[in-house]
């Protein structure tokens, strides 16, 4: 079971490395719910996660997550301690902290440029993360951490990327458009040419033919004359010989 889980993780990590340029150290953004669940399930995130993801891992959080955990007080004191040991990533809510989930979602906006993982038990946040391509999701289920399989959104993104690498979709369209345009311009050109041909090209071809006939007639006439001369001589000779023989 453990091996199978590891195998799935390796496969999924390969997906993110190959298609979304995830590199070590893997940066995992933790929210309060994940820290809380890790504590309850006695999971040593810091020790286990590098082995599971297959590389050095940096645990991160944001100031908004820490603020939220502080505000929730004693029940989440342990979770807060875990979060406080994480590296605090700069979010855009310096003066006006937002909820932990809203903050983490903002961290993976615009194609997740910093290649963050999101580790959460918040189903609502998880669903929102799944709607973005290229954001790996970690959660805890049955006392173990699980890297979620790539979301349909991520798969679709990669598929369009791969097909576009052969011939980009926008280029396909532009090619079609260009062909149509060229087709139209060709048709117009052909029409024009046809109109011209009706009056124009025939004399040209006639001229060429005339030239050819003239050129061909002259030498042939000379040849014929020569042949005739020779023929006449020969025939006369033959005739005279024949006549002589006959006489
Ligand atoms: Zn924030």
């Amino acid at each position: 079971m453990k091996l199978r889980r590891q195998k799935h993780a390796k496969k999924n990590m390969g997906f993110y490395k190959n298609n979304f340029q995830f590199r070590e150290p893997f940066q995992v953004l933790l929210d309060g719910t994940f820290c809380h669940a890790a504590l309850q399930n006695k999971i040593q995130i810091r020790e286990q996660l590098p082995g599971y993801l297959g590389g050095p891992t940096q645990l991160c959080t944001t100031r908004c997550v820490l603020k939220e955990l502080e505000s929730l007080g004693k029940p989440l004191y342990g979770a807060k301690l875990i979060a406080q040991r994480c590296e605090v990533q700069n979010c855009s809510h310096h003066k006006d902290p937002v909820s932990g989930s809203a903050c983490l979602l903002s961290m993976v906006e615009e194609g997740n440029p910093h290649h963050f993982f999101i580790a959460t038990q918040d189903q609502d946040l998880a669903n929102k993360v799944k709607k973005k391509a290229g954001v790996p999701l970690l959660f805890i289920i049955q006392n173990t951490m699980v890297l979620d399989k790539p979301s349909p959104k991520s798969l679709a993104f990669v598929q369009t990327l791969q097909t576009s690498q052969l011939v980009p979709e926008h280029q396909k369209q532009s090619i079609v458009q260009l062909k149509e345009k060229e087709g139209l311009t060709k048709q117009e050109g052909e029409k024009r040419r046809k109109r011209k041909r009706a009056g124009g090209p025939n004399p040209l071809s006639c001229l060429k033919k005339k030239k050819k006939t003239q050129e061909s007639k002259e030498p042939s006439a000379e040849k014929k004359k020569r042949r005739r001369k020779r023929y006449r001589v020969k025939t006369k000779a033959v005739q005279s010989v024949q006549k002589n023989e006959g006489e």
Side-chain angles (χ1 to χ4, degrees), residues 62 64 91 93 98 103:
T62 66
C64 295
C91 64
H93 322 105
V98 296
C103 184

Side-chain angles (χ1 to χ4, degrees), residues 91-241:
C91 64
S92 55
H93 322 105
H94 282 293
K95 286 171 185 172
D96 301 306
V98 296
S99 72
S101 57
C103 184
L104 289 202
L105 203 62
S106 78
M107 298 294 282
V108 295
E109 286 289 332
E110 292 164 17
N112 194 12
H114 299 289
H115 304 102
F116 287 124
F117 289 63
I118 296 283
T120 184
Q121 296 296 96
D122 181 342
Q123 200 57 51
D124 185 49
L125 173 59
N127 288 335
K128 283 173 182 168
V129 166
K130 282 177 192 178
K131 284 175 186 168
K132 297 178 183 297
V135 188
L137 191 67
L138 277 159
F139 51 85
I140 293 166
I141 191 165
Q142 293 166 349
N143 299 334
T144 49
M145 285 184 292
V146 174
L147 174 64
D148 198 20
K149 63 180 186 295
S151 65
K153 190 81 180 176
S154 290
L155 293 171
F157 180 87
V158 169
Q159 203 166 22
T160 50
L161 200 76
Q162 284 172 343
T163 49
S164 69
Q165 275 170 349
L166 299 172
V167 178
E169 197 60 37
H170 66 279
Q171 274 191 19
K172 275 182 192 170
Q173 286 177 348
S174 64
I175 286 167
V176 169
Q177 283 169 350
L178 279 169
K179 276 183 179 176
E180 280 174 359
K181 275 183 186 176
E182 277 187 26
L184 283 169
T185 50
K186 271 182 183 175
Q187 280 176 358
E188 282 171 5
E190 278 173 357
K191 278 176 189 174
R192 279 173 195 168
R193 277 174 199 168
K194 277 175 186 173
R195 280 172 196 167
K196 278 180 183 175
R197 271 175 195 170
N202 280 333
L204 279 170
S205 58
C206 287
L207 275 172
K208 277 179 185 176
K209 278 177 186 175
K210 277 179 183 174
K211 275 180 185 176
K212 274 180 185 177
T213 49
Q214 282 173 349
E215 281 171 3
S216 59
K217 270 182 182 175
E218 283 169 8
S220 66
E222 283 174 11
K223 278 176 187 176
K224 276 179 185 174
K225 279 177 186 175
R226 280 173 195 169
R227 274 178 193 168
R228 277 174 194 169
K229 279 177 185 174
R230 281 172 195 167
Y231 186 69
R232 277 174 191 169
V233 173
K234 272 181 186 177
T235 47
K236 275 181 182 176
V238 169
Q239 279 175 348
S240 61
V241 169

Side-chain angles (χ1 to χ4, degrees), residues 84-95:
Q84 279 175 336
R85 287 184 63 200
C86 296
E87 174 125 347
V88 178
Q89 293 286 337
N90 288 326
C91 64
S92 55
H93 322 105
H94 282 293
K95 286 171 185 172

Side-chain angles (χ1 to χ4, degrees), residues 30-32 61-73 76 79-80 83-84 88 91 93-101 103:
L30 310 178
D31 78 345
T61 193
T62 66
R63 203 161 276 114
C64 295
V65 169
L66 290 170
K67 284 260 180 191
E68 190 180 57
L69 283 170
E70 274 173 27
S71 71
L72 291 167
L76 289 170
K80 191 186 86 178
Q84 279 175 336
V88 178
C91 64
H93 322 105
H94 282 293
K95 286 171 185 172
D96 301 306
V98 296
S99 72
S101 57
C103 184

